[in-house]
Amino acid sequence: MAVAVVLLTITVVFVIALLAAAGAGTLARMEGATYPSALTRAATTFATVITLAAAVTATLTTLLT
């Protein structure tokens, strides 16, 4: 049961990161950025969301143990 919850949480975080990256890339493109620049912004957003999720997980693990 616990493994299923962990996998579901990882999947949700991954989907949210992908949606944020797609939104950032789309907004960059709408502002007139080139495709490589928009892709760079999307990748940066994706990495930021994943890093933020890891930091929150580490903090919660420290607080709850």
Side-chain angles (χ1 to χ4, degrees):
M1 181 67 176
V3 174
V5 171
V6 170
L7 290 176
L8 181 63
T9 303
I10 291 170
T11 304
V12 168
V13 168
F14 190 75
V15 168
I16 288 172
L18 284 175
L19 288 173
T26 302
L27 287 175
R29 191 66 185 127
M30 288 172 57
E31 290 177 351
T34 61
Y35 283 109
S37 176
L39 185 61
T40 301
R41 290 185 193 180
T44 302
T45 302
F46 179 80
T48 303
V49 171
I50 296 298
T51 303
L52 179 63
V56 169
T57 302
T59 303
L60 288 176
T61 302
T62 302
L63 291 175
L64 296 177
T65 57

